[in-house]
């Protein structure tokens, strides 16, 4: 067979070397192992090796190419194509030692193709014919990776020609050769198109043995029968060209003195052989359509895969595991990185064949070809456990799996969990629990930074359970959860699982302690409320009355706080979620009455149901409710939008989720007769509604007059106007500042200790600066009045208007 190296040889040298030299060789004693030579028998001198037409320019280019590939492999050691090109370049340049090392390195990471094995073995056979055992090992490695009839034929020829015991026909040599042929027949004898080549080689070997038997008639008769049996076995297998095999068999029988009629197909053929032949021929005719499809050289890999899968499905329905296995081997040899084929192959073997040696071989090759498929590794570990492989072998495969690159973190988790499952099941065999604990620790260290909540809980819940049940160490189980809380203490489910473990083990006091630790924590979504309600349920089911009362005492304020926070967040969202193109007219429109009348809700009721967060109002029983005054810092918004945001936030400070109540507010405020005030006490702003324009104009004339020791800015409320008109009127450039100090205004009441002693304090629930949502506005009729509190607030607001006009 011609090789790339033969093309580099001068014509005369090539003819002298004959077909043997597949690559350059190393002259004995050269030391560096990289000087090219056409054949080991007559190594050329250095000048001979440099005399090719390529010249030094070609050698320099090859050297640069080799260096570039070496660098690429250093950076990407798992780049399959770089390995292939590197080996090809080294083979062409004759760098034998590097070539050998490169092949070994590639085979550590990848299986080699049959062609690559053929090149390797023939190169080594021509370079080191004396190293029979080393080359034989290479052939053994090659035939284990893929089914290749050609590689098997090369292997058989090599042993027959180079093994002294075989060539001398010693009893041990005969036994060795026959065993090797049987292995080859088992591997590829059922290959429909190529299997006949192996049968033919087997017959020819046995016929050659027959010719060297001289006077021992008994031995000769045994040998004749041995050959006859091989013929009969082959005739029972569906192979191509069955008729020619039958004809050859009849001819051979005639040579042995068993005359038969050549014109008759079965004359002289035993009846059992005839029936086997007919059955095999029928089987071949059924399979021929599949073989014809696979023989299409122009078919794409996808088409080939589809045809193989159809063929495999047919063979599985026929019920012959050996034929299914050979077909799978043919398929993976042609499509070695097809996940579907390897998954189907391993699954079939697990269910049907269950031969340990075969299972190990196939799973080993599957995971070498498709390293990125975690399910293959999981199945590999499970298969090894089924066939009772040693702990050392299981650990080795597990560690190999962790070195692979899987698409997601979940797949690494599955590998770890499969390993733990196996250790747990075999703990009764004397395994140390420390192996399980260490596996969990390694998994946590490796996976935690990238795991989601679900995976985190799955791993740690399993770990804690095994610490408690198999390790009999409750403290260690608690330690698992405590360590998890350090990293994921804001995950509600972690607390829930921890609490569930304590309840399951009957440690009620410890479970209660966990509730006390976590009920005030902030969890995502409704988690904060959920844990509070869970604590109440827990005490209802497990606690005393005192425990229940304590839980309620702790939980109720927390729930109120959460409700207030939620309400405030909704207010902020409603206030600031305004499109950029919104104009002042839009804000004005929001505060105009709705055309559709809605059922009114008393402000006092709204105050109790939805208590926002800043100003504190006390009820008759001494309890406190907080009213939001809209904490918007000056500078967060500018110009007209700032003012509009302030107006909406303050007025809507105690909005509820009731849509009808939101709409009802706008029924009363149209800004037709409203004064806008700023720089009033408490660094706040306010709106004052008047019954008519006469009183409004009177109030506006009080602009810059002092009220409660403050120069108050008073202007007509008109959100449709921009910032400039407000500045021209009463609202200065320093809006949001207090007095002459320029402090940023926060629309909330200051603590009493921050108010100067000489300023009058405004206390109680009926302040003049109460938000509109808690004050009965103009338009509120007597029949709408629901409580004395609203009446008092209305009275207070009227008193403030009178005070403003009087001033």
């Amino acid at each position: 067979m011609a090789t790339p190296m033969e093309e580099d040889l001068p014509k005369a040298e090539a003819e002298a070397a004959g077909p043997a030299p597949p690559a350059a060789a190393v002259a004995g004693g050269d030391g560096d192992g990289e000087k090219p030579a056409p054949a080991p028998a007559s190594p050329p001198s250095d000048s001979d090796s440099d005399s090719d037409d390529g010249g030094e320019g070609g050698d320099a280019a090859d050297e640069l190419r080799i260096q570039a590939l070496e660098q690429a492999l250093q950076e990407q050691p798992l780049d399959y194509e770089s390995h292939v090109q590197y080996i090809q370049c080294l083979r062409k340049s004759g760098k034998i030692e590097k070539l050998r090392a490169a092949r070994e390195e590639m085979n550590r990471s990848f299986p080699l193709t049959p062609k690559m094995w053929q090149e390797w073995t023939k190169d080594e056979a021509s370079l080191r014919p004396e190293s029979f055992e080393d080359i034989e090992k290479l052939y053994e490695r090659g035939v284990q990776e893929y089914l290749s009839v050609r590689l098997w034929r090369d292997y058989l020829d090599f042993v027959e020609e180079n093994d002294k015991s075989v060539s001398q026909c010693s009893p041990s040599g005969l036994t060795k050769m026959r065993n090797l042929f049987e292995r080859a027949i088992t591997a590829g004898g059922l290959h429909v198109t190529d299997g006949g080549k192996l049968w033919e080689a087997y017959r020819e070997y046995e016929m050659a043995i027959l010719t060297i038997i001289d006077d021992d008639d008994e031995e000769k008769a045994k040998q004749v029968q041995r050959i006859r049996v091989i013929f009969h076995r082959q005739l029972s297998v569906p192979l191509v060209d069955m008729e020619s095999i039958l004809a050859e068999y009849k001819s051979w029988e005639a040579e042995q003195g068993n005359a038969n009629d050549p014109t008759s197909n079965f004359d002289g053929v035993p009846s059992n052989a005839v029936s086997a032949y007919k059955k095999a021929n029928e089987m071949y005719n059924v399979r021929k359509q599949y073989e014809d499809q696979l023989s299409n050289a122009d078919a794409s890999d996808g088409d080939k895969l589809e045809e193989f899968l159809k063929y495999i499905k047919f063979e599985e329905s026929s019920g012959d595991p050996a034929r299914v296995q050979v077909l799978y081997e043919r398929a993976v040899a042609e499509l070695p990185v097809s996940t579907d084929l390897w998954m189907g192959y391993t699954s079939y073997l697990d269910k049907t064949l269950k031969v340990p040696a075969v299972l190990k071989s196939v799973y080993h090759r599957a995971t070498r070809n498709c390293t990125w498929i975690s399910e293959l590794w999981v199945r590999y570990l499970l298969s090894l456990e089924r066939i009772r492989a040693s702990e050392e072998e299981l650990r080795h495969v597990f560690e190999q799996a962790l070195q692979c690159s899987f698409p997601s973190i979940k797949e690494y988790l599955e590998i770890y969990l499969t390993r733990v499952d196996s250790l747990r099941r075999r703990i009764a065999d004397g395994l140390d629990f420390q192996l399980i604990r260490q596996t969990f620790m390694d998994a946590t260290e490796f996976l935690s930074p990238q795991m989601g909540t679900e995976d985190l809980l799955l791993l740690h819940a399993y770990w804690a359970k095994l610490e408690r049940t198999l390790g009999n160490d409750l403290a260690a189980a608690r330690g698992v959860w405590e360590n998890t809380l350090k990293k994921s203490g804001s995950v509600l489910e972690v607390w829930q699982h921890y609490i569930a473990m304590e309840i399951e083990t009957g440690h009620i006091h410890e479970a209660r302690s966990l509730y006390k630790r976590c009920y005030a924590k902030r969890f995502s979504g409704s988690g904060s409320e959920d844990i509070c309600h869970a604590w109440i349920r827990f005490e209802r089911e497990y606690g005393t009355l005192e425990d229940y009362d304590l839980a309620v005492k702790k939980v109720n304020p927390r729930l109120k706080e959460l409700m207030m926070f939620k309400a405030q967040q909704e207010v902020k969202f409603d206030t600031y979620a305004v499109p950029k193109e919104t104009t002042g007219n839009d804000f004005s429109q929001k505060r105009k009455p709705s055309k559709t009348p809605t059922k009114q809700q008393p402000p006092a009721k709204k105050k109790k149901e939805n208590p926002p967060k800043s100003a504190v109002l006390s009820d008759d029983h001494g309890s406190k409710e907080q009213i939001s005054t809209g904490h918007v810092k000056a500078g967060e918004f500018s110009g007209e939008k700032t003012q509009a945001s302030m107006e909406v936030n303050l007025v809507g400070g105690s909005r509820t989720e009731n849509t009808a109540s939101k709409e009802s507010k706008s029924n009363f405020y149209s800004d037709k007769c409203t004064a806008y005030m700023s720089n009033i006490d408490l660094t706040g702003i306010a709106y004052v509604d008047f019954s008519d324009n006469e009183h409004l104009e009177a109030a506006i004339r009080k602009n810059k007059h002092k009220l409660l020791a403050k120069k108050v800015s008073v202007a007509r409320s008109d959100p449709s106007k921009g910032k400039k008109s407000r500045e021209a009127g009463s609202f200065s450039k320093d809006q949001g500042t207090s007095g002459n100090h320029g402090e940023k205004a926060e629309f909330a009441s200051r603590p009493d200790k921050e108010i100067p002693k000489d300023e009058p304090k405004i206390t109680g629930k009926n302040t003049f600066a109460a938000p509109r949502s808690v004050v009965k506005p103009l338009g509120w009729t007597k029949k709408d009045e629901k409580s004395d509190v609203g009446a008092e607030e209305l009275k207070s607001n009227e008193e403030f208007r009178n005070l403003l006009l009087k001033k």
Side-chain angles (χ1 to χ4, degrees):
M1 179 176 110
T3 64
M5 183 53 61
E6 290 179 6
E7 298 175 1
D8 298 335
L9 295 175
K11 182 178 180 181
E13 288 185 355
E15 292 176 353
V26 179
D30 285 347
D32 61 1
E34 297 185 5
K35 294 182 179 180
S42 55
S45 64
D46 290 349
S47 60
D48 292 334
S49 62
D50 294 335
S51 63
D52 293 350
D53 294 337
E56 294 182 358
D59 293 341
D62 290 342
E63 186 63 30
L64 288 175
R65 177 63 175 157
I66 289 172
Q67 291 176 3
L69 289 168
E70 288 174 346
Q71 180 64 29
L73 288 172
Q74 286 182 356
E75 297 172 357
Q76 298 288 340
L78 297 181
D79 187 343
Y80 184 88
E81 289 302 323
S82 292
H83 277 289
V84 173
Q85 294 175 24
Y86 185 46
I87 289 172
Q88 289 174 347
C89 287
L90 291 174
R91 190 166 189 257
K92 181 179 178 181
S93 65
K95 297 179 181 293
I96 301 304
E97 293 301 324
K98 278 192 173 184
L99 175 61
R100 187 176 293 123
R103 282 165 164 163
E104 290 288 357
E105 183 63 28
M106 182 178 181
N107 196 226
R108 270 192 285 271
S109 302
F110 303 103
L112 305 184
T113 65
K115 181 180 178 181
M116 295 177 75
W117 282 112
Q118 285 180 287
E119 291 175 349
W120 191 356
T121 51
K122 289 188 175 182
D123 288 352
E124 295 292 344
S126 64
L127 296 170
R128 301 186 299 161
E130 73 284 354
S131 302
F132 171 79
E133 292 182 357
D134 292 339
I135 300 170
E136 185 180 32
K137 290 178 182 178
L138 282 180
Y139 273 115
E140 277 294 329
R141 289 167 58 184
V143 296
Q144 292 295 327
E145 292 201 328
Y146 296 113
L147 171 60
S148 172
V149 172
R150 290 183 181 181
L151 186 59
W152 270 108
R153 283 295 305 264
D154 290 347
Y155 186 12
L156 294 166
D157 292 343
F158 172 78
V159 173
E160 188 175 354
E161 294 170 5
N162 296 278
D163 190 317
K164 293 181 179 179
S165 64
V166 173
S167 59
Q168 294 173 359
C169 296
S170 66
S172 61
L174 291 173
T175 301
K176 177 179 180 177
M177 199 63 205
R178 284 167 178 158
N179 289 338
L180 189 60
F181 270 117
E182 288 295 336
R183 286 180 55 202
I185 292 296
T186 301
L190 297 180
H191 193 303
V192 175
T193 56
D194 294 342
K197 299 173 184 177
L198 296 174
W199 291 103
E200 181 182 8
Y202 197 180
R203 294 198 318 268
E204 289 176 351
Y205 173 75
E206 294 295 354
M207 290 177 181
I209 298 298
L210 180 61
T211 60
I212 63 174
I213 300 176
D214 295 326
D215 300 328
D216 192 340
D217 293 339
E218 183 178 353
E219 187 64 30
K220 184 176 292 188
K222 288 182 181 180
Q223 186 64 20
V224 168
Q225 184 60 26
R226 184 176 285 113
I227 298 171
R228 181 178 290 114
V229 168
I230 295 174
F231 265 120
H232 289 177
R233 289 172 61 190
Q234 183 179 2
L235 289 171
S236 66
V237 177
L239 301 171
V240 295
D241 206 9
M242 296 284 291
E243 293 80 3
S244 63
I245 298 172
L246 179 61
E248 187 176 352
Y249 170 59
K250 290 180 62 178
S251 175
W252 178 82
E253 285 286 6
E255 292 175 1
Q256 309 308 313
N258 300 319
N260 54 72
D261 184 1
T263 61
S264 173
N265 287 336
F266 304 115
D267 184 50
V269 180
S271 59
N272 61 327
V274 171
S275 61
Y277 170 81
K278 290 181 177 180
K279 182 178 179 181
N281 203 33
E282 291 175 1
M283 293 173 65
Y284 170 74
N285 290 333
V286 174
R287 288 160 176 78
K288 187 177 183 301
Q289 58 176 326
Y290 298 106
E291 294 293 341
D292 290 342
Q293 293 294 329
L294 292 177
S295 63
N296 183 7
D298 297 329
S300 65
D301 286 348
D303 293 338
K304 287 181 181 179
L305 174 61
E306 184 178 356
E307 295 303 327
F308 268 120
L309 292 176
K310 290 179 182 177
Y311 199 173
I312 289 169
K313 184 176 181 181
F314 167 75
E315 287 291 5
E316 287 179 345
S317 66
S318 299
D320 188 343
R323 297 198 61 80
V324 176
Q325 185 184 0
V326 168
L327 188 54
Y328 265 121
E329 288 291 347
R330 289 176 59 185
V332 297
E334 194 158 347
L335 302 169
V337 292
S338 171
T339 303
D340 292 338
L341 287 175
W342 286 112
M343 294 288 284
Y345 192 7
T346 53
S347 178
Y348 178 79
L349 293 178
D350 280 329
K351 292 184 296 184
T352 307
L353 208 55
K354 301 180 182 179
V355 178
V358 175
L359 285 168
K360 285 183 182 181
S361 171
V362 174
Y363 270 113
H364 175 70
R365 291 182 289 132
T367 51
R368 278 170 61 80
N369 279 280
C370 300
T371 58
W372 63 94
I373 305 299
S374 63
E375 189 175 351
L376 281 174
W377 289 100
V378 169
R379 291 186 183 185
Y380 193 2
L381 289 168
L382 293 174
S383 181
L384 289 175
E385 186 181 357
R386 289 190 195 100
I387 62 178
R388 300 189 176 277
S390 66
E391 167 59 20
E392 182 179 359
E393 189 172 2
L394 282 161
R395 184 179 66 253
H396 176 68
V397 172
F398 167 67
E399 291 172 351
Q400 281 185 315
L402 294 180
Q403 302 303 314
C404 297
S405 297
F406 300 130
S408 69
I409 201 68
K410 283 181 175 288
E411 295 175 84
Y412 289 98
L413 175 61
E414 192 64 25
I415 297 293
Y416 273 108
L417 293 177
T418 302
R419 170 66 171 162
V420 171
D421 295 343
S422 176
L423 293 171
R424 177 187 60 79
R425 286 188 288 262
R426 292 179 295 123
I427 198 73
D429 297 339
L431 292 179
D432 189 351
F433 182 77
Q434 182 60 32
L435 284 174
I436 295 178
R437 181 177 292 135
Q438 187 61 49
T439 303
F440 275 119
M441 292 171 65
D442 294 343
T444 301
E445 181 180 359
F446 184 73
L447 302 174
S448 286
Q450 304 176 63
M451 276 196 299
T453 300
E454 183 179 350
D455 296 335
L456 181 81
L457 292 172
L458 177 63
L459 180 67
H460 288 84
Y462 193 11
W463 184 3
K465 180 179 180 180
L466 294 187
E467 288 284 4
R468 179 168 53 87
T469 57
L470 292 183
N472 298 316
D473 192 341
L474 183 58
R478 287 171 175 159
V480 171
W481 286 120
E482 290 294 341
N483 289 332
T484 308
L485 288 176
K486 291 178 182 178
K487 300 176 182 178
S488 306
S490 61
V491 179
L492 173 64
E493 290 83 355
V494 175
W495 290 95
Q496 290 175 327
H497 278 70
Y498 192 0
I499 292 170
M501 184 193 76
E502 296 291 4
I503 295 175
E504 183 181 350
T505 55
H507 295 90
I508 304 303
H509 175 73
E510 286 75 9
R512 182 175 293 113
S513 298
L514 291 174
Y515 274 119
K516 291 178 180 179
R517 286 170 57 187
C518 71
Y519 84 96
K521 287 186 174 293
R522 185 172 180 177
F523 301 110
S524 63
S526 63
S528 300
E529 292 92 338
D530 293 343
I531 198 66
C532 291
H533 294 309
W535 188 7
I536 297 299
R537 288 196 303 272
F538 168 80
E539 295 298 359
R540 181 179 291 119
E541 296 174 7
Y542 297 98
T544 63
L545 180 58
E546 290 76 11
D547 295 328
Y548 179 82
D549 289 342
L550 177 61
V552 171
K553 182 179 178 182
K554 296 273 189 184
V555 162
N556 279 350
R558 173 59 174 161
L559 290 174
K560 288 183 179 180
E561 179 184 2
L562 292 170
M563 291 173 61
M564 291 178 352
F565 176 78
K566 182 178 180 182
Q568 187 179 35
Q569 293 302 108
E570 292 174 353
V571 169
K572 288 183 178 179
F573 177 80
D574 291 342
T575 301
Y576 302 133
V578 181
K580 293 183 179 179
E581 58 271 11
T582 302
T583 65
N585 292 331
D586 296 323
F587 287 105
S588 177
Q589 184 65 28
K590 286 187 177 181
R591 300 176 62 215
K592 290 181 180 178
S594 171
K595 293 182 179 180
T596 305
T598 56
K599 184 177 180 180
Q600 306 301 319
Q601 184 178 15
K605 182 177 180 182
K606 289 188 282 185
K607 176 182 67 176
K608 291 182 179 181
E609 290 179 350
N610 189 15
K613 199 174 177 179
S614 296
V616 181
L617 303 180
S618 300
D619 60 20
D620 296 338
H621 300 286
S623 63
K624 295 184 179 180
E625 296 289 344
Q626 293 184 337
I627 304 299
S628 172
T629 54
H631 289 255
V632 181
K633 294 184 179 179
E636 288 186 32
F637 297 86
S638 62
E640 182 179 349
K641 292 184 179 179
T642 304
Q643 181 182 358
S645 298
M646 292 176 179
E647 293 169 358
V648 173
N649 199 22
L650 181 62
V651 174
S654 60
R655 295 177 185 171
T656 67
E657 294 182 6
N658 191 318
T659 305
S661 66
K662 290 181 182 178
E663 295 176 355
S664 66
K665 295 176 187 177
S666 62
N667 288 340
F668 298 106
Y669 308 124
S670 63
D671 288 325
K672 294 289 180 64
C673 198
T674 301
Y676 172 76
M677 299 181 61
S678 63
N679 201 32
I680 58 178
D681 193 63
L682 308 180
T683 65
I685 64 174
Y687 292 96
V688 181
D689 296 317
F690 293 89
S691 59
D692 53 47
N693 278 325
E694 180 181 354
H695 290 85
L696 173 60
E697 294 294 337
I700 293 175
R701 288 195 292 271
K702 304 296 184 182
N703 181 35
K704 300 302 181 181
H705 287 206
K706 284 191 176 182
L707 176 64
L708 300 178
K710 296 288 184 180
K711 284 187 177 182
V712 181
S713 296
V714 184
R716 179 184 294 272
S717 175
D718 188 0
S720 64
K721 293 186 178 180
K723 174 180 178 183
K724 290 184 178 179
S725 66
R726 286 197 302 273
E727 290 176 354
S730 62
F731 197 57
S732 69
K733 293 180 181 179
D734 295 327
Q735 71 171 17
T737 62
S738 174
N740 297 325
H741 302 286
E743 300 126 341
K744 292 183 179 179
E746 293 187 3
F747 309 133
S749 22
R750 291 180 297 174
D752 290 346
K753 64 182 181 180
E754 296 182 8
I755 302 175
K757 293 182 179 179
D758 58 344
E759 290 187 11
K761 296 182 181 179
I762 300 176
T763 60
K765 60 191 174 186
N766 297 324
T767 69
F768 68 84
R772 282 178 168 177
S773 59
V774 295
V775 176
K776 288 189 176 182
L778 294 179
W780 188 270
T781 63
K782 196 69 178 177
K783 74 174 185 177
D784 292 320
E785 189 170 320
K786 299 295 182 180
S787 67
D788 293 337
V789 175
E792 291 174 3
E793 290 170 348
L794 177 60
K795 179 180 179 182
S796 177
N797 198 25
E798 291 172 350
E799 290 173 351
F800 175 60
R801 286 196 295 272
N802 294 333
L803 177 63
L804 177 61
L805 293 174
K806 185 183 295 184
K807 289 284 182 178

